[in-house]
Structures are given as C-alpha cells and as structure tokens.
Amino acid sequence: VFDSAESLAKNANAPVFIFFDDCEAFLLRRGAGISSDVNMGHVTQFATLLDGVREIRGVNVILASNRLDLIDPAAIRRMSLKIRIPEPDKDGATKIFTKILGNAPLHKKYFDLQSFPDLHGDRDLILAYMVEQVIQSIYEDVKANDFVEIMFGDDTSKIVKVYELISGKIIADIMNRAKKIAKDRDKLLSKEEWPTGIMVEDILEAARMEFK
C-alpha cells in the first residue's frame, strides 16, 4: 500500500491519501494485555512505515477510530494532526437518523390517511414523524434505556443511558438492523407486497438489539 502510494504521488504529481478505518483493529496498545505478539509486530512495522512516509512528498496517512483508548501511543504520536469528532447530541442524532432513513422505504401504513390523517400521505411528514418517535423513545429517561451501572470506589454509582453511547456508526448499525428486520418480514409475504418498508417499531427493536 505504501509503495503504491509513493509511486502514485510521484507519477501523478498530486497528493495521495491512505485511509485506515477502525485502525484499532491492528494498532492495539502494546503491553496492556489486549494485544497479541502478531499485533505488536504490526504496530512496530506501521510506526516504521509512518516514519518513512514523512520523507515522501505528497503521501498522507489518515487513521480513523471510535476507540482512541485502544490505539498504541506510538501510532498516535506519529500523527501530525489529531481531530476529535464528538458524539452527536440529540439534534445531531435526529439529523443522522433523518439522513439514513430518508434513503429507505417507509412502511406503507404511514401513507394510510385513515390511520395517520395528520401525515397527509406526505413522505417528508412521515419521515419527520418516524424520526421524532425514535428519538423520543431512545432519549427518554426511563429504566428501559439503562445500559450499565458503573460502581465507583467511594460506593457511588452512575447509570449510563443508551443515548450517552450514541454515535454516527451506532445509528448506521441500528438502521442496517432495522432494514434487515423489514426485509425478513417481507419474506413472509408475497412478492407483490414487497417492500412493506421500515416501521418505527423496526428501528426501536434494532436499537434494543444493538445495546443488548
């Protein structure tokens, strides 16, 4: 990869970017009891390659991770620029759900004027309604949204809610699960009835599975 990037940078006379997503998978922190001998070799080799990239004009390396705490410091130190993208708040989560769900088929029942007269069969209104229902449920301060209880040394504790763990990736995973739930339901119907589309209940069930 690095050799190809160097060749491209020289021949194209343009910047080349090498992007590693979920880089903690092969750059686990050494000496913390979570990495293997193989992984330790990966970290050493990668650090050496990064040192070499500094001498190659036009080649840039980008690492992305949701778990900075798992990445070996040697790799982090070699990154000249570090950007932290915070977890989305309630408004941010609403926008992400809207974006992803907006590209998916919505369940036919929401277009029924008798069942949902206030939505007027309008897709934009239906989309906003569904996202509002999902966000309201996920961010509701109820016991069902308790994820884990953390006990501290001073005998105090803290309940971590599921909405405190929400990230763009988790929302994407939830929506992928919801789409699968809808598709599995369609398999029980005739092809003429496909696709029935995603329901609010599918998304909430997917969220429960995600945080199970």
Side-chain angles (χ1 to χ4, degrees), residues 4 6 26 29 48 78 93 118 128 131 147 151 171 177 194:
S4 298
E6 180 180 6
F26 66 97
R29 181 188 295 267
T48 302
R78 285 167 169 78
D118 293 340
V131 172
F147 179 70
M151 304 296 297
I171 293 175
R177 287 179 183 271
W194 293 359

Side-chain angles (χ1 to χ4, degrees), residues 88-89 92-98 100 135 138-139 165-177 203 210-211:
D89 57 13
T94 298
K95 292 177 181 178
I96 297 173
F97 269 113
T98 300
I100 299 177
I135 292 296
I138 290 178
Y139 282 83
L165 306 175
I166 285 290
S167 67
K169 184 178 185 304
I170 286 178
I171 293 175
D173 290 342
I174 289 173
M175 289 307 304
N176 284 334
R177 287 179 183 271
I203 303 174
E210 184 70 22
F211 292 108

Side-chain angles (χ1 to χ4, degrees), residues 20-152:
F20 294 96
D21 196 9
D22 296 326
C23 63
E24 74 278 0
F26 66 97
L27 293 176
L28 282 172
R29 181 188 295 267
R30 293 169 292 185
I34 56 176
S35 61
S36 63
D37 291 339
V38 173
N39 182 76
M40 292 176 66
H42 287 167
V43 174
T44 302
Q45 183 181 18
F46 191 78
T48 302
L49 288 170
L50 287 179
D51 288 338
V53 165
R54 292 180 180 177
E55 308 301 323
I56 306 174
R57 189 176 184 85
V59 176
N60 305 274
V61 177
I62 301 175
L63 304 180
S65 173
N66 290 317
R67 295 298 306 273
L68 184 64
D69 57 306
L70 297 182
I71 302 175
D72 193 273
I76 297 175
R77 284 196 303 269
R78 285 167 169 78
M79 295 289 102
S80 58
L81 178 64
K82 304 173 185 67
I83 301 175
R84 183 181 185 278
I85 301 175
E87 293 77 12
D89 57 13
K90 189 174 182 178
D91 289 338
T94 298
K95 292 177 181 178
I96 297 173
F97 269 113
T98 300
K99 178 68 175 178
I100 299 177
L101 185 57
N103 296 321
L106 310 182
H107 198 278
K108 297 176 181 178
K109 72 176 184 178
Y110 300 111
F111 293 88
D112 185 345
L113 297 180
Q114 290 186 336
S115 300
F116 297 90
D118 293 340
L119 300 181
H120 307 292
D122 182 276
R123 181 179 172 83
D124 290 339
L125 291 178
I126 293 170
L127 177 61
Y129 166 80
M130 292 180 66
V131 172
E132 181 183 10
Q133 294 297 307
V134 169
I135 292 296
Q136 182 177 340
S137 178
I138 290 178
Y139 282 83
E140 189 176 7
D141 190 14
V142 294
K143 187 173 179 59
N145 283 335
D146 291 354
F147 179 70
V148 67
E149 182 178 9
I150 301 175
M151 304 296 297
F152 299 103

